[in-house]
Amino acid sequence: MNKLLITGATTMLTLTGVAHAQSSVTLYGLIDAGITYTNNQITPTGGGHSNWELTSGAVQYSRWGLRGAEDLGGGLKAIFTLESGFNVNNGQYTSSNRIFNRQAYVGLSSRQYGQLTLGRQTDGMVDFVGPLSLTGTEYGGTHFAHPYDVDNLNDSFQINNSAKYLSPDFAGFKFGALYGFSNQAGGFANNRAYSFGMSYIWGPLNFGAGFLQLNNSGQFNTNGAVTDTTGSSLQGVAGSSAVPLGALASRQQTWGAGVNYAFGPAVAGFVYTQTNLTQLFQTGFSTHFQNFEGNLRYALTPAVGLSAAYTYSRAGGNAGSGAPHWNQVSAMADYSFSRRTDIYIQGVWQGVSASSNSLLGVAWINGVAAPSSTSNQVEATVGLRHRF
């Protein structure tokens, strides 16, 4: 009898182990904290003053999340991701009205047919072009973003109500598409989004391209595709949360492409993006942004990494001959104590040239609390990152 009970218990434990082996849930996250100096920020009393501040996410937004998968057999899996951004300075969510403000989706994944997911997700510019820019990676991040992060390469906003498809790898070629619903009766196009992109890897060459369109997000349908954000693309314009610049226009179209080439311990890259904004700030003012980024990263040793980028940006449209253009130089050095923990030092200089009446002609490094009172701004950060 005792042998029977022991055998039964062993069988149950074995079956339980098999069940757990077929499904998994992973807790993961990243904490990025630093001290940032900015030479010039506008203050409520006027003028500009330097600022020393404790910052969260100077390179990568601090976040935690849950990622899970269940093997359904035949190469098919059920998958989910729930990811929340937070401010390590005070422990608050980066978005005040949602728990999982970065990503929240569920779907099916197949080795043969690709992946289909539903929920709050990233767009094609983030997925396919962002990894080729320093702003979309661990080698530069938040402060390296193009002006206002208007092309969203630094993942300042995500798409609600979205259905997304990612293809399997076809000998180095991948593609994807996303549609974000407005979720509004009688307003199908009122705050909807759609996006697509592709990438191709061939030896040391990595190429990617993407497209994103936001329709009528400026109508502020709060249940629509684009609402509040996890980044800082334009703080303080529409409340306490950061909002993408395109959410203040009747339409945003963004497209871009990039290429990386690896040689030895170095990777060189070039990225071009263009964003067209129609009726910005609900006026007749329309403009377009172009960004040209050249970047380089170099593994000096297995523990020491160096990276740098130069970005030239310009705005056009009916802003006229005085439309602003920006020059931005960014650099970073990183030392890894381990695969999970590293320290870094980085700096960014941004200069802008524009007419005195330009709406957007200010120097404002992404992630810095306030724009400059002059045509130049400099920031420097010393920080610590830990991944778990």
Side-chain angles (χ1 to χ4, degrees):
M1 183 66 179
N2 289 338
K3 289 183 179 180
L4 182 62
L5 289 173
I6 293 172
T7 302
T10 303
T11 302
M12 289 298 295
L13 288 172
T14 302
L15 291 174
T16 302
V18 170
H20 281 295
Q22 292 176 339
S23 62
S24 64
V25 176
T26 301
L27 171 67
Y28 69 93
L30 181 149
I31 303 172
D32 182 337
I35 298 174
T36 297
Y37 166 79
T38 309
N39 74 325
N40 195 349
Q41 292 185 21
I42 291 177
T43 64
T45 57
H49 294 273
S50 60
N51 189 17
W52 289 89
E53 55 186 320
L54 189 69
T55 51
S56 175
V59 178
Q60 293 176 278
Y61 299 127
S62 298
R63 82 244 358 218
W64 71 276
L66 297 169
R67 184 183 295 119
E70 181 189 10
D71 191 346
L72 302 177
L76 184 66
K77 292 182 179 181
I79 59 172
F80 76 87
T81 294
L82 300 171
E83 186 174 288
S84 177
F86 62 91
N87 187 327
V88 72
N89 295 355
N90 53 27
Q92 293 181 343
Y93 294 124
T94 51
S95 174
S96 60
N97 61 348
R98 52 170 56 93
I99 298 175
F100 299 109
N101 47 47
R102 286 186 55 83
Q103 296 186 83
Y105 64 80
V106 65
L108 296 173
S109 176
S110 166
R111 291 194 301 266
Q112 184 177 1
Y113 299 108
Q115 178 176 301
L116 178 64
T117 49
L118 305 172
R120 177 175 169 91
Q121 304 176 83
T122 54
D123 64 79
M125 293 295 294
V126 173
D127 294 340
F128 296 101
V129 185
L132 305 176
S133 165
L134 290 193
T135 180
T137 69
E138 63 186 286
Y139 308 104
T142 304
H143 293 313
F144 282 34
H146 305 154
Y148 307 108
D149 194 27
V150 71
D151 48 23
N152 200 35
L153 294 192
N154 200 53
D155 195 16
S156 287
F157 64 91
Q158 295 76 38
I159 308 299
N160 301 326
N161 316 325
S162 61
K164 180 177 178 179
Y165 172 76
L166 292 175
S167 77
D169 189 314
F170 299 105
F173 176 78
K174 292 182 179 180
F175 66 91
L178 172 146
Y179 187 87
F181 291 86
S182 70
N183 278 15
Q184 186 179 60
F188 185 77
N190 183 17
N191 197 354
R192 67 171 177 174
Y194 52 90
S195 179
F196 52 84
M198 56 79 63
S199 66
Y200 180 68
I201 299 176
W202 182 51
L205 187 69
N206 187 350
F207 173 79
F211 175 83
L212 168 67
Q213 177 155 328
L214 311 179
N215 281 66
N216 294 326
S217 56
Q219 299 298 318
F220 295 108
N221 167 18
T222 56
N223 295 318
V226 178
T227 51
D228 62 336
T229 76
T230 58
S232 55
S233 23
L234 197 61
Q235 294 177 332
V237 174
S240 59
S241 297
V243 296
L245 195 57
L248 305 176
S250 63
R251 184 178 67 181
Q252 172 179 334
Q253 289 180 325
T254 297
W255 59 273
V259 61
N260 278 181
Y261 186 82
F263 49 99
V267 178
F270 176 79
V271 172
Y272 170 80
T273 68
Q274 177 164 322
T275 296
N276 301 322
L277 299 170
T278 304
Q279 294 185 0
L280 188 61
F281 304 119
Q282 300 301 300
T283 69
F285 176 70
S286 298
T287 188
H288 65 262
F289 285 77
Q290 291 178 296
N291 298 292
F292 305 81
E293 177 192 331
N295 59 67
L296 177 69
R297 63 180 194 264
Y298 182 77
L300 187 63
T301 72
V304 178
L306 306 174
S307 58
Y310 167 72
T311 301
Y312 173 73
S313 306
R314 64 189 183 192
N318 60 5
S321 60
H325 59 91
W326 295 261
N327 288 279
Q328 181 169 294
V329 178
S330 312
M332 176 173 165
D334 179 87
Y335 177 78
S336 297
F337 294 106
S338 68
R339 295 181 63 182
R340 295 169 54 187
T341 303
D342 62 305
I343 58 173
Y344 62 84
I345 181 170
Q346 66 163 217
V348 177
W349 170 84
Q350 184 184 104
V352 60
S353 175
S355 63
S356 59
N357 59 357
S358 173
L359 291 174
L360 301 173
V362 296
W364 194 356
I365 296 170
N366 192 65
V368 171
S372 171
S373 63
T374 70
S375 60
N376 295 274
Q377 192 170 60
V378 174
E379 74 80 27
T381 301
V382 177
L384 171 69
R385 277 184 298 187
H386 178 73
R387 305 161 184 85
F388 59 90

